[in-house]
Amino acid sequence: MEANIKNVSAILNAPAPHMVGDGFRVHNFFPSGYRIKMSPFFMLDYNAKIEFSARNEPRGVGVHPHRGFETVTIAYHGAVAHHDSAGNSGVIYPGDVQWMTAAGGILHKEYHEEEFSKKGGAFQMVQLWVNLPAKYKMNAPKYQDVKHSEMAKFELEHGQGSIEVIAGAYKGLNGSASTFSPLHLYNAKLNKGEKASFSFPANYNTGFVIIEGSILINGTETAKTDQFVHFKNEGSEIEIEALENAVVLVLSGEPIDETIAQYGPFLMNTAEEIQEAISDYNQGKFGYLED
């Protein structure tokens, strides 16, 4: 068993925060915060738990384009509303996930939901950028709304917690979000003193965001709130124990072994495709969305 453990590569503190628009105060764990291998996940922005004051005019991010990847927004505290140029709109509340496939191109805006904005309060979110394999980058955009009430939940024995399966599978239970390459995305919620185990292929890039509480990993290393745990590409088995009530975002996926060209909100394979994305955006080919 020990020879097959997926050991920790590093336990990383949250980098200095920066604002995205005026509504999201984020710590970018990768690619700019730390140079770590996490493909197919290209970016992780973590809005650590903060309090926003009440305000009539919602904070947020105005209209902006995306091409070549997916944005996955996971709500823990607070509420975010969103609109896109494909006609999708909605609100994600704590526990919900918004999975937007920008693919060939979309305009998007996201901001604090109106009632939350008027009341203010605790706000905590994660946004991931998930790369798309080259053959899917120019697909039509699509949208998946994963409500907490409908999310697949694997209940651990003796009431010790649950694994909410957003995408991929956990011990045979499949998440509802469809993906373009093999990946797993879970929220692990454990009561103090309880354990959970995970198994991922050795070559999968794997990481944990400690959303709340603290955990013991493989019986040896401790990670606490707002830290990111990066694992080595060896072994497959991980065991965690909650040192206090804990919430852990688990991400693991098969690397996409393709070249990457990135410029702002465009994630393609070549410099020529980036130029094409800029040109298409400037020509209005991403549709229209009112700011």
Side-chain angles (χ1 to χ4, degrees):
M1 166 67 184
E2 285 199 10
N4 205 31
I5 287 176
K6 188 180 286 292
N7 287 308
V8 170
S9 168
I11 296 175
L12 306 171
N13 292 323
H18 67 274
M19 294 300 296
V20 176
D22 65 356
F24 304 91
R25 180 180 178 271
V26 303
H27 307 267
N28 183 260
F29 275 106
F30 58 83
S32 63
Y34 295 97
R35 300 289 180 178
I36 53 176
K37 287 196 224 172
M38 279 303 298
S39 175
F41 308 99
F42 178 78
M43 188 201 78
L44 193 162
D45 266 352
Y46 173 51
N47 191 129
K49 189 176 177 183
I50 57 169
E51 294 283 330
F52 275 109
S53 58
R55 183 165 134 170
N56 285 328
E57 184 68 25
R59 300 172 175 90
V61 184
V63 175
H64 54 283
H66 292 304
R67 174 179 278 182
F69 63 100
E70 305 180 281
T71 67
V72 181
T73 307
I74 307 165
Y76 295 96
H77 293 278
V80 170
H82 50 90
H83 287 84
D84 68 43
S85 56
N88 300 302
S89 65
V91 178
I92 55 170
Y93 295 100
D96 296 342
V97 177
Q98 175 211 339
W99 197 299
M100 186 185 75
T101 305
I106 204 165
L107 301 179
H108 185 228
K109 62 180 180 179
E110 48 206 328
Y111 44 91
H112 294 190
E113 185 271 332
E114 192 174 357
E115 289 306 308
F116 170 77
S117 189
K118 287 177 179 176
K119 292 177 184 176
F123 191 85
Q124 187 179 24
M125 302 269 161
V126 166
Q127 186 171 91
L128 295 163
W129 287 12
V130 180
N131 192 18
L132 288 171
K135 62 183 176 180
Y136 300 121
K137 281 188 180 290
M138 293 301 290
N139 275 22
K142 72 169 189 170
Y143 176 82
Q144 300 178 81
D145 191 19
V146 186
K147 294 294 186 189
H148 184 253
S149 59
E150 301 163 3
M151 198 174 285
K153 298 178 181 71
F154 186 96
E155 299 296 335
L156 300 171
E157 291 180 2
H158 315 303
Q160 60 194 34
S162 63
I163 309 297
E164 297 174 353
V165 186
I166 300 166
Y170 181 78
K171 297 188 186 297
L173 181 67
N174 294 315
S176 60
S178 63
T179 67
F180 289 86
S181 66
L183 65 87
H184 302 283
L185 191 62
Y186 320 139
N187 273 318
K189 298 183 174 179
L190 296 182
N191 298 322
K192 180 180 178 180
E194 304 297 352
K195 296 180 179 180
S197 60
F198 306 95
S199 183
F200 303 116
N203 69 312
Y204 275 33
N205 291 323
T206 302
F208 293 171
V209 184
I210 314 303
I211 302 295
E212 185 180 303
S214 58
I215 61 170
L216 184 66
I217 305 159
N218 295 331
T220 59
E221 301 194 61
T222 301
K224 58 187 181 182
T225 305
D226 299 344
Q227 289 184 321
F228 184 84
V229 184
H230 188 235
F231 290 88
K232 295 180 180 179
N233 292 105
E234 60 186 33
S236 59
E237 306 304 313
I238 303 169
E239 183 185 76
I240 63 172
E241 178 183 351
L243 301 176
E244 53 192 315
N245 291 351
V247 178
V248 180
L249 176 63
V250 176
L251 41 158
S252 185
E254 182 177 69
I256 297 172
D257 188 20
E258 297 173 351
T259 59
I260 284 180
Q262 186 243 339
Y263 177 79
F266 306 129
L267 185 57
M268 305 302 290
N269 298 100
T270 67
E272 291 76 16
E273 289 169 342
I274 292 293
Q275 291 303 317
E276 183 183 4
I278 294 169
S279 175
D280 288 351
Y281 169 63
N282 289 333
Q283 292 177 50
K285 292 183 179 180
F286 286 37
Y288 175 76
L289 184 63
E290 188 175 338
D291 209 339

